[in-house]
Amino acid sequence: MATFISVPLKKSSEVDLVKPLSKFVTATYPAAEEQADYIRSVEELNKLRKSALGRPLDKHESSLEILLRYYDQLCAVEPKFPFSENQLCLTFTWKDAFDKGSLFGGSVKLALASLGYEKTCVLFNGAALASQIASEQNLDSDEGLKVAAKYYQLASGAFGHIKDTVLSALNREPTMDISPETVGTLSLIMLAQAQEVFFLKATSDKMKDAIIAKLANQTADFYGDAFKQCQYKENLPKYFYFQEVLPVLAAKHCIMQANAELHQSLLAKQKKRFGEEIARLQHATELVKTVASRYDEYVSVKDLSDKISRALTAAKKDNDFIYHDRVPEVKDLEHIGKAALVKATTITPPLSAKFTDLFEKMVPMAVQQSMSVYSQRKAETVNRLVGTMREATNLCNGVLASLNLPAALEDLSGDSIPQSIVEKARAIVQQGGLLSIEQLIRDLPELLTRNREILEESLKMLGDEESTDSELRSKFSQRWNRTPSGDLYKPLRAEGGNFRSVLDKAVQADQVVRERYNTHCEMIALLCKPEAELTAAIPSANPVKTLQGSEVVSVLRSQLAQLEEVKKEREGLEVEIKGVAFDMSSSFLTALAQDGAINEEALSMSQLDQSYGSYSQRVQASLRSQEELLGKVQASHQEFSKLKQSNSEANDREEVLKKLASAHDSYVEITSNLREGTKFYNDLTEILLKFQNKCSDIVFARKTERDELLKDLQQSIAREPSAPSFNVPAYQTNPAPTAADPTPAPRTVFVSSQSSMGRWEERIRGPAAGARTPPPGVARAK
């Protein structure tokens, strides 16, 4: 009875992945190190395909592991390469698994430039091999049963996945073996076989008859569903009809029904329902007789038939002689329950336990550019939210300082230093006091000068080369036929102009910080002094201890505590906002693979709204809360001021305390600004050094090009005649005059080129005896 159906594998033609993928890598990734890594990965992918598809595979789990690993790699690589007919075109050819061809013609095959097609066919082979491995298991052992059940469920899930995705993956009619009808039927068959394995396991473990009967009945249902699929689908492969698939499905449907009736009869016997026992055994007998008469060549039911026959004989004998129970009709029997213990495996890559993405680090250039812009957008969003909160905190501190709070509440004695002022002084000293802030101020000009020098040197390199290029262009005119340096350097000059603008703005910001420091320097210095000196520097006033138990003081303190809580929450919110992280590369990769382009703005804004929308609302809520509390604090402070004794000493003391509180807040902000400025200049130095290297590289390339062009021009000019040809006077070509004639004076010709002069002299005087005539264009040695 243990006949199980397995599926044959598809065969693929060889495909060279190395050449087209390497070409794409070379064109897309300029960095030599990245290129080398990715090309090695391409070669590994090509080897993996050959291992998975280029040779016969053993019916072993190691072979299935290779197939699944290749499938996982295809899934991972799909969004990283633009696989399509009009971009990265790779044609995959596969033969129909069920069509074996004929004597006069080959089997059916389909060639498509689609990675989805390749994935579908590879997954089909994974499911087919899983069915073959399961069919090879020894079902007499627990381990064999466990492995068979696992792989039948995997095969069912894989075939089901193909059914759901094949049409969208191919965008055309597939071959019959991977059509939705075929793989849907195969998925049902594999699920039925997995359920049968659980039935065999339950039988082997001698579980209760009620459980075994339900398992068998569910198995019969699964086989019945698969049989119906084959029976009513005219476009299924002929393999299902001319091989043993259809008869085996029909036979197993009957066999599992018979098993269900057999075990349910045993349950009836236990309950002393002897008539029901006989009716079920009779029905089981009819079922196995049907199998024996129609499907005997496919499935043997002799053992099962004998078992049922013996049970039926014994049951009839006992009922005839002892119980005389009425035997009901089959249609009147209670339906047997069902128990499904199997489920198709969900196909979610990676399927391989050993999968490692060969192209894990690969990100296309378009994605890199989109990531860069997204990072800028994200930084702007973070800076906007953080800046808004810091401005609000500074405003709050400024308002409180102007009201001399909380110092005014702590200063009810009129002669001691308020605790808040003591804490502020201590905080400044711990941060280094004036020495620390002055050192930071001294460092800024040096950092600025270094950055300016790097920028100016870079632009000077461009200017010098451009000037030389212009001089040579003016000198050689049309012969200086290369792109003008001025045009070539426009992007670099624009970039340099941006850097100069950034530095100018930084200088202005530095000046604002210095001016603020100069404004509060005296009070900051006072806060840095010992407590005794600080106490002596603060004017004393008449005590106002009568306000200690005042309600308005209590209200003010409560409101100030609430404001402090708002500021603390804001600090935590700032940390949260800066800590938000989201990898946009996967979104950009998916968009690039699907559309061939990335709508960076839409994707980025959508993600930023999703990531920071709630934080923006919390920031606004914090601002509203602060505004409301500050209003209450100002109103309460007016009442507090009315209750205080008003005199010049008290006013002087309060004014000094306000300045000290403001000085502390300014110290904290100035220190933060100076440190941010130091970091800014150091970061900018690295960027400017890269800019300088870029300028140096292009200037060097232009100089090399210039030298080559000059050399060619010099050689070209040297080969040209220096002056147009002319007619030599007749007397210079006549024979030498007789003695009676006067001897002509020696003739001297002045020319601009020594080589030309040599040629002209020889034309006039003729070569000296025994002298060699130099080739044209070669100057005579002096």
Side-chain angles (χ1 to χ4, degrees), residues 148-382:
K150 173 186 172 183
Y151 286 123
Y152 280 135
Q153 289 176 91
L154 173 62
S156 177
F159 286 131
H161 183 78
I162 295 171
K163 176 192 173 186
D164 295 336
T165 59
V166 63
L167 295 180
S168 60
L170 271 61
N171 289 321
R172 58 150 293 164
E173 194 67 27
T175 48
M176 195 173 285
D177 57 343
I178 56 173
S179 68
E181 293 83 4
T182 301
V183 290
T185 304
L186 290 173
S187 179
L188 288 175
I189 293 172
M190 296 301 128
L191 198 63
Q193 294 187 152
Q195 178 77 10
E196 184 180 350
V197 170
F198 275 98
F199 162 77
L200 294 174
K201 170 67 173 168
T203 305
S204 173
D205 291 348
K206 294 182 172 54
M207 297 180 75
K208 292 180 179 179
D209 291 305
I211 295 173
I212 298 174
K214 289 178 181 179
L215 291 172
N217 199 30
Q218 181 64 70
T219 308
D221 256 22
F222 281 151
Y223 277 120
D225 291 343
F227 179 76
K228 288 174 186 176
Q229 282 280 94
C230 295
Q231 203 172 19
Y232 300 112
K233 297 289 184 182
E234 296 179 356
N235 54 347
L236 288 175
K238 294 177 182 178
Y239 174 86
F240 282 80
Y241 305 100
F242 294 109
Q243 298 296 327
E244 54 186 48
V245 175
L246 199 61
V248 167
L249 294 179
K252 287 206 170 188
H253 174 63
C254 294
I255 291 169
M256 297 315 296
Q257 275 189 318
N259 272 291
E261 295 289 3
L262 172 61
H263 287 278
Q264 195 69 18
S265 74
L266 295 172
L267 186 62
K269 183 179 180 180
Q270 293 168 17
K271 295 179 179 180
K272 301 187 183 303
R273 298 175 184 170
F274 303 110
E276 180 185 339
E277 177 191 9
I278 293 170
R280 291 193 181 280
L281 289 171
Q282 286 175 341
H283 187 211
T285 302
E286 291 171 4
L287 289 167
V288 293
K289 281 182 179 178
T290 301
V291 174
S293 62
R294 295 183 184 179
Y295 311 115
D296 187 49
E297 63 177 300
Y298 304 106
V299 178
S300 173
V301 289
K302 187 177 184 307
D303 292 342
L304 178 61
S305 179
D306 291 347
K307 187 176 182 180
I308 294 171
S309 179
R310 288 194 299 271
L312 179 58
T313 302
K316 280 184 175 180
K317 182 179 178 181
D318 290 345
N319 194 51
D320 290 343
F321 286 97
I322 304 171
Y323 306 117
H324 305 289
D325 198 9
R326 186 183 69 84
V327 178
E329 296 289 331
V330 173
K331 63 180 181 178
D332 297 329
L333 294 175
E334 185 180 340
H335 290 294
I336 302 171
K338 298 171 187 176
L341 295 185
V342 293
K343 185 180 179 182
T345 302
T346 303
I347 303 302
T348 305
L351 301 176
S352 166
K354 300 178 181 178
F355 172 67
T356 303
D357 187 3
L358 296 172
F359 300 90
E360 185 177 7
K361 297 179 181 178
M362 174 177 281
V363 178
M365 290 300 294
V367 175
Q368 288 185 13
Q369 293 166 357
S370 297
M371 285 295 295
S372 176
V373 178
Y374 167 74
S375 297
Q376 292 175 7
R377 293 184 193 276
K378 180 183 175 184
E380 289 171 2
T381 302
V382 170

Side-chain angles (χ1 to χ4, degrees), residues 94-112:
W94 287 82
K95 293 181 179 179
D96 189 309
F98 301 120
D99 190 280
K100 301 304 178 185
S102 65
L103 182 63
F104 302 103
S107 59
V108 175
K109 60 184 178 182
L110 176 64
L112 283 179

Side-chain angles (χ1 to χ4, degrees), residues 425 428-429 432-435 523-531 534 667:
I428 288 178
V429 172
L434 281 177
L435 292 177
M523 286 297 166
I524 292 173
L526 185 57
L527 285 170
C528 293
K529 292 186 176 184
E531 190 172 332
L534 180 59
Y667 179 88

Side-chain angles (χ1 to χ4, degrees), residues 394-408 630 633-634 637 641 651 654-663 665:
N394 291 337
L395 174 64
C396 179
N397 291 338
V399 171
L400 294 180
S402 68
L403 301 176
N404 192 28
L405 293 174
L630 280 177
V633 165
Q634 288 171 321
H637 183 265
S641 299
N651 291 339
E654 185 166 344
E655 193 62 31
V656 171
L657 291 176
K658 286 180 183 179
K659 288 181 180 180
L660 289 173
S662 179
D665 294 339

Side-chain angles (χ1 to χ4, degrees), residues 10 47 125 132 234 246 269 345 370 407 452 476 482 501 538 547 617 672 718 736 763 766 774 782:
K10 291 172 71 66
K47 290 178 184 176
N125 272 10
Q132 293 178 14
E234 296 179 356
L246 199 61
K269 183 179 180 180
T345 302
S370 297
R452 281 207 184 279
F476 293 105
R482 71 170 186 167
S501 175
I538 300 173
L547 293 176
Q617 293 173 6
S672 174
R763 287 179 184 174
K782 292 183 180 179

